[in-house]
Amino acid sequence: MSPTPQPPDPITADAPKAIARPLLTQSWLDLTFLHWAVDPADVAGLLPPGTVPDTLDGVTYVGLVAFRMHRVGWLRLPGVPYLGTFPETNVRLYSVDAHGRRGVVFLSLDASRLIPVAVGRLGFRMPYLWSRMDIRHDGDTVTYTSYRRWPGPRGARSRITVRVGERIGEATELEHFLTARWGMHGVFFGRSVYLPNAHPRWPLHRAELVGCEEDLVAAAGLPRPAGEPVSVLYSPGVPARFSLPARPGGLRTP
């Protein structure tokens, strides 16, 4: 018998729980968040079993997020300086499960280090893809480039340039909804799981989109975005921790 669905957890700027014993540690640096509004019906079929699109005022979103992963580490060991540091660009959706847990669903994660890509694909069944990537700063502008190498569709690419603006004093409900996500939903070895995370409150900046040429969203199985993104944000970054995954019933795995 299926449990009665619980209402979604509140949208909070701060992590609901600290993670004292992390499974993974890492920092996300030099992030740009681009978001387009989409009809929940258009993305529902791309989400893991047991989840539905998370919505705000009846709308959900597709995100294109470019950043620099920094020093990925296991447990409490020091982060790896070379293999654990690389540019990444992901295409993501927003989900909620029957227990009210809001999360992120990754449709693709382009990264520039082959070994982490292989580990992510084989060990965690994550949709990592090996790409040639670069992040460049020029004054207050940041440019992210990505060109997919393997496994495909080969040649899928993106070039995003933003001009970073003023620090946001108080983020809107939508800005929290798009950035303050305290876990991810996925399917690992045929089983739906939820992987909680925690990090300090995002330091967010307004940003102007100078240029965006990309086909990563369409390559991930979504309609090509129409028009300008409804939200463009930048953050210098945060350190993050992931805990052990949780079963669909909400209990941690042993």
Side-chain angles (χ1 to χ4, degrees), residues 20-240:
R21 299 172 59 190
L23 172 67
L24 288 169
T25 61
Q26 55 200 241
S27 291
W28 306 322
L29 306 178
D30 297 322
L31 300 97
T32 285
F33 301 86
L34 305 182
H35 284 94
W36 291 265
V38 293
D39 187 328
D42 290 341
V43 302
L46 298 173
L47 300 181
T51 67
V52 297
D54 194 8
T55 62
L56 185 65
D57 298 327
V59 177
T60 193
Y61 296 84
V62 55
L64 182 64
V65 183
F67 65 103
R68 179 161 51 93
M69 184 77 80
H70 183 66
R71 296 184 72 99
V72 176
W74 290 94
L75 306 173
R76 297 184 182 180
L77 298 174
V80 181
Y82 176 74
L83 288 178
T85 298
F86 47 86
E88 181 174 321
T89 298
N90 62 60
V91 176
R92 68 192 207 178
L93 301 175
Y94 299 100
S95 52
V96 62
D97 61 24
H99 304 279
R101 299 174 299 198
R102 299 179 186 268
V104 170
V105 173
F106 293 107
L107 299 185
S108 65
L109 303 106
D110 285 78
S112 65
R113 293 272 187 265
L114 180 57
I115 290 178
V117 165
V119 170
R121 291 183 67 87
L122 299 176
F124 292 92
R125 299 299 192 267
M126 295 282 288
Y128 267 102
L129 305 120
W130 185 36
S131 296
R132 184 170 66 245
M133 308 183 78
D134 187 43
I135 302 175
R136 295 194 178 186
H137 291 258
D138 182 8
D140 60 355
T141 65
V142 189
T143 298
Y144 311 79
T145 57
S146 173
Y147 185 87
R148 189 170 296 166
R149 292 170 160 172
W150 176 85
R154 188 175 175 86
R157 64 189 182 88
S158 67
R159 181 180 177 85
I160 302 165
T161 300
V162 297
R163 181 173 293 109
V164 180
E166 63 183 10
R167 173 83 177 261
I168 298 174
E170 184 59 42
T172 66
E173 184 181 21
L174 175 60
E175 289 163 346
H176 286 315
F177 177 88
L178 297 174
T179 60
R181 314 297 298 190
W182 306 115
M184 60 166 285
H185 289 106
V187 177
F188 298 90
F189 299 101
R191 185 176 67 181
S192 295
V193 297
Y194 179 75
L195 190 67
N197 71 72
H199 57 73
R201 181 179 294 213
W202 283 109
L204 293 173
H205 292 248
R206 307 270 180 227
E208 175 191 354
L209 184 60
V210 177
C212 179
E213 300 175 15
E214 67 83 27
D215 53 17
L216 300 184
V217 173
L222 292 163
R224 187 177 299 275
E228 295 294 310
V230 298
S231 175
V232 182
L233 298 170
Y234 173 85
S235 177
V238 292

